[in-house]
Amino acid sequence: MSTDIKFCGLTKAEDVQVAVELRASFVGAVFAGGPRAITAEQARSLFASVEGTRRVGVFGDQGRDEIARAAERAAVDVIQLHADPTPEMVSAIKRLSGLETWAAVRVANAPDDGMLDALISSADAIVYDTRAEGALGGTGRTFDWGVLANALDRERRVRARVVLAGGLTPALAPLAIDAL
């Protein structure tokens, strides 16, 4: 299993540069609202000099066409969907944009098996983040990785690209990786 790092919610060019220098695999910009939200044009400018690191656009409950247009304007490589995307939404965004598309699952307890399998079948990766009232993600809070490890049996681990979010620090990241 390989481990990639994504720095997300970036708003300053110097932070993007640090992420690239640290060899992050992904840098992300938030279009889903909140204190770190920026426009597609700002993201395009922010990521203009990025080479060798993939650019991720994080979206919330925007409409399909709006997401596809913003992703194109921002010149992102990956679309990350929050707001509990359905497998149909993921497939539609992939068709409209032609981009790799990740679906976020907000974890509070064991994910629903049927929905999890459908998302694994439609999305290029599943982002597991902490469910927090009033927030789509980006809260910096951890969740019980054991719940997720139990839900991701061997078959699902083989089929799904897993992305962890929520309260990961240099000290906690190895523990999260080991838990899965």
Side-chain angles (χ1 to χ4, degrees):
M1 171 173 72
S2 71
T3 303
D4 296 324
I5 304 294
K6 178 180 79 154
F7 285 65
C8 200
L10 301 174
T11 60
K12 296 186 256 175
E14 53 269 22
D15 293 341
V16 172
Q17 187 57 42
V18 168
V20 170
E21 287 171 7
L22 291 172
R23 291 189 251 146
S25 301
F26 303 92
V27 290
V30 175
F31 307 115
R36 295 179 290 158
I38 61 176
T39 67
E41 291 72 20
Q42 289 170 317
R44 184 180 197 101
S45 175
L46 193 64
F47 297 149
S49 64
V50 171
E51 291 183 26
T53 300
R54 299 185 67 209
R55 300 167 302 256
V56 180
V58 179
F59 295 89
D61 57 4
Q62 297 100 320
R64 297 169 183 180
D65 291 333
E66 182 181 350
I67 291 171
R69 282 192 306 272
E72 182 178 5
R73 285 195 317 271
V76 298
D77 304 301
V78 178
I79 293 173
Q80 181 175 317
L81 298 173
H82 282 261
D84 302 320
T86 63
E88 296 77 22
M89 175 72 157
V90 172
S91 296
I93 293 296
K94 285 175 68 168
R95 271 193 314 276
L96 279 169
S97 69
L99 295 175
E100 183 174 326
T101 303
W102 299 354
V105 173
R106 298 182 292 161
V107 178
N109 46 39
D112 172 83
D113 281 341
M115 180 60 82
L116 185 57
D117 286 336
L119 280 173
I120 288 170
S121 294
S122 62
D124 296 295
I126 306 296
V127 179
Y128 296 96
D129 199 355
T130 305
R131 179 173 291 281
E133 274 312 306
L136 295 178
T139 63
R141 297 184 203 153
T142 60
F143 61 88
D144 179 358
W145 300 310
V147 167
L148 186 58
N150 291 338
L152 293 174
D153 58 25
R154 181 167 172 67
E155 180 186 341
R156 285 185 180 135
R157 287 178 204 220
V158 169
R159 291 188 298 139
R161 182 176 185 188
V162 174
V163 179
L164 290 182
L168 294 172
T169 65
L172 290 178
L175 300 174
I177 292 166
D178 287 345
L180 299 178

